[in-house]
Amino acid sequence: MTDARPHVVRAGRPALTRLLGRLDADTFAREHWGHTLHLAAVEERDGDEFADLFSLDAVDELVSDRALRTPFLRVAKDGSTLPESTFTSSGGTGAGMPDQVDDTRLLRHFADGSTLVLQGLHRTWGPIRAFAADLADDLGSPVQVNAYITPPANQGFDDHYDVHDVFVLQVSGTKRWSLREPVLPQPLRSQPWTDRREEVGARAQEPAFLETTLRPGDCLYLPRGWIHSARAMGEVSAHLTIGVHAWTRHHVARTALDLVGAGLGDEAGVRQSLPLGVDLSSPDGWGEDVEQVRAALLRRLRDLPAEDLAAALETGHRRSTRPAPVRPVAQAAAAEQLRADDAVVLRRHLEPALRDDGGRVSLISRVATFTLPAAYRPALERLLEAEPVVVRDLGALAGLDDDAALELGRGLLRRGVAGLPGPTGRTG
């Protein structure tokens, strides 16, 4: 059943809109998110084939030129993952780590019909890294990106379901997908398909909910739990799988219980010892203790401030994703050379927030907590608007002269909170 409450879709970001074609983001949020499939054909997406994000040439560069190591690569054939030792070797003198991808071994596997799975592309491939970060902002949930490269007329994995939502972006070749409704709707990460192998196998024998062939530029959304398998057609197929680790009510519940549990040590009654000689295998002798603990838990859960729960969830969200990359050597040099009439800009994907604390103001983000006198708050508020601002103007908002403004600007750069705007200096 679709949740009737309004969904929040962040405006001003093109990533999600790019995937949906003619479907607007609000309709997707209301009618598809977490519940049912959506297919946006390349024609609905103005012919966009994702060529700027990934290609077969990118595959060869990653496995041949980048000294890629496991677990950034898996190899699968006939529904099973091959041992890492069959496609890795040492890098030779001076780079003897034994888990580096061996391109010669990989060539043999691929020629023999194995599927290559490049994992963690949101960390290892620049165009995908940038797109994934924008999409995570749009969705409000962390994402990961893998690529599946399958030889002609081969299938890497049997029917299964994922425990995260998925956007499939066909990049090269074609692939035939069979999709079936869940045996367990919206499974959690602790509920993998292998725990329901027989149910999944039985469902796979039933008629498919949807059979479709994806072509370059097609984008398929399937919520977690939907059973699927895919087979390459007459040429090499490459597709990106964007896994969305959606925040759930289960996350809220677990966080609430963690907060309540952490505070139980303040309860004198809960700190008391159980009866001498207690038999923990049976509650008969300590049933009253159970009731006292249960009462304390329920009371603390009922009285838990929503603000405390929100703060804990926000902390978890910050830890789930990295900010935009920063180049340490160039950034340090930029800080040294900064002038009062230069501009700085907030680093992207920081998830920043300001917090007042006893005459001080703290800028909290994914990289650090930066604490300054309260008079700096207007300057930090201006920085958080995420538009370039001249260092002198930033300082003026805090009542600073040029020298003090420069110290502020350099501090922001050295802590990785801000960078220089423009394609060469910008941290985002």
Side-chain angles (χ1 to χ4, degrees):
M1 186 169 108
T2 301
D3 195 331
R5 297 173 306 147
H7 292 262
V8 177
V9 179
R10 303 185 185 192
R13 302 274 189 178
L16 177 60
T17 301
R18 180 178 180 183
L19 301 182
L20 298 181
R22 295 170 190 159
L23 184 71
D24 66 90
D26 287 330
T27 302
F28 171 78
R30 185 173 59 253
E31 298 182 2
H32 296 275
W33 173 246
H35 296 287
T36 192
L37 306 174
H38 176 257
L39 176 60
V42 63
E43 294 84 2
E44 300 175 42
R45 303 183 48 265
D46 300 323
D48 177 7
E49 296 186 1
F50 308 115
D52 61 314
L53 295 181
F54 205 60
S55 66
L56 294 180
D57 286 341
V59 175
D60 280 341
E61 179 176 338
L62 279 163
V63 300
S64 297
D65 300 335
R66 297 289 189 94
L68 206 65
R69 302 173 65 184
T70 58
F72 286 108
L73 178 75
R74 286 188 296 151
V75 179
K77 187 178 182 184
D78 299 328
S80 298
T81 300
L82 303 185
E84 294 178 359
S85 59
T86 66
F87 59 86
T88 58
S89 64
S90 168
T93 302
M97 294 77 72
D99 60 349
Q100 296 179 67
V101 172
D102 186 316
D103 46 11
T104 303
R105 290 183 172 186
L106 209 58
L107 168 61
R108 293 169 184 163
H109 281 304
F110 191 70
D112 194 38
S114 295
T115 290
L116 312 183
V117 185
L118 288 162
Q119 303 190 132
L121 289 173
H122 59 290
R123 293 293 306 136
T124 61
W125 192 247
I128 290 177
R129 182 176 59 206
F131 180 79
D134 284 344
L135 184 61
D137 276 359
D138 285 357
L139 298 171
S141 295
V143 305
Q144 67 178 64
V145 184
N146 297 344
Y148 294 77
I149 302 91
T150 305
N154 276 274
Q155 177 175 324
F157 296 93
D158 295 331
D159 289 273
H160 65 285
Y161 66 74
D162 294 318
V163 293
H164 49 259
D165 292 21
V166 166
F167 286 95
V168 178
L169 284 58
Q170 189 69 25
V171 172
S172 181
T174 56
K175 208 161 210 177
R176 186 70 175 173
W177 285 74
S178 297
L179 301 133
R180 294 171 172 83
E181 293 182 284
V183 296
L184 177 67
Q186 299 184 322
L188 302 173
R189 296 190 69 176
S190 59
Q191 298 169 316
W193 77 273
T194 50
D195 289 351
R196 292 168 172 77
R197 193 183 297 271
E198 291 186 5
E199 295 173 77
V200 170
R203 182 61 55 87
Q205 302 305 311
E206 300 175 4
F209 179 90
L210 176 66
E211 293 262 6
T212 187
T213 300
L214 297 188
R215 304 157 298 158
D218 289 349
C219 179
L220 171 68
Y221 167 75
L222 57 154
R224 54 198 162 100
W226 278 75
I227 297 168
H228 56 278
S229 62
R231 186 173 186 84
M233 305 299 284
E235 62 276 288
V236 173
S237 168
H239 75 265
L240 299 173
T241 292
I242 301 177
V244 183
H245 295 267
W247 300 113
T248 68
R249 290 171 179 164
H250 188 261
H251 286 107
V252 177
R254 289 294 300 267
T255 303
L257 290 174
D258 288 344
L259 290 173
V260 167
L264 281 177
D266 296 333
E267 298 273 345
V270 173
R271 294 199 304 270
Q272 290 185 12
S273 302
L274 294 179
L276 182 67
V278 63
D279 179 6
L280 293 177
S281 66
S282 171
D284 292 343
W286 43 280
E288 291 184 7
D289 301 276
V290 173
E291 290 306 316
Q292 187 164 349
V293 169
R294 181 181 286 122
L297 282 169
L298 292 173
R299 173 169 44 78
R300 282 188 165 265
L301 188 60
R302 183 181 59 249
D303 297 339
L304 178 65
E307 294 79 8
D308 292 356
L309 183 55
L313 289 166
E314 182 183 32
T315 298
H317 179 61
R318 283 201 182 97
R319 292 172 178 167
S320 69
T321 305
R322 295 169 68 111
V326 63
R327 298 182 175 185
V329 175
Q331 183 90 341
E336 288 297 320
Q337 298 163 12
L338 193 68
R339 299 293 178 264
D341 54 359
D342 290 336
V344 296
V345 67
L346 184 73
R347 185 177 177 184
R348 295 188 66 194
H349 310 301
L350 275 185
E351 288 290 323
L354 297 179
R355 182 176 300 165
D356 295 314
D357 184 16
R360 309 281 286 176
V361 59
S362 293
L363 172 57
I364 302 166
S365 73
R366 282 180 168 143
V367 296
T369 297
F370 189 24
T371 301
L372 293 165
Y376 284 68
R377 177 179 253 279
L380 296 178
E381 288 175 343
R382 173 63 181 84
L383 183 71
L384 264 57
E385 292 175 6
E387 295 294 335
V389 55
V390 172
V391 171
R392 178 180 290 112
D393 297 340
L394 193 67
L397 291 169
L400 305 177
D401 60 22
D402 280 3
D403 288 342
L406 268 176
E407 283 304 307
L408 172 61
R410 288 169 178 160
L412 291 169
L413 265 62
R414 287 172 180 146
R415 287 168 173 79
V417 173
L420 301 184
T424 57
R426 186 170 180 173
T427 59

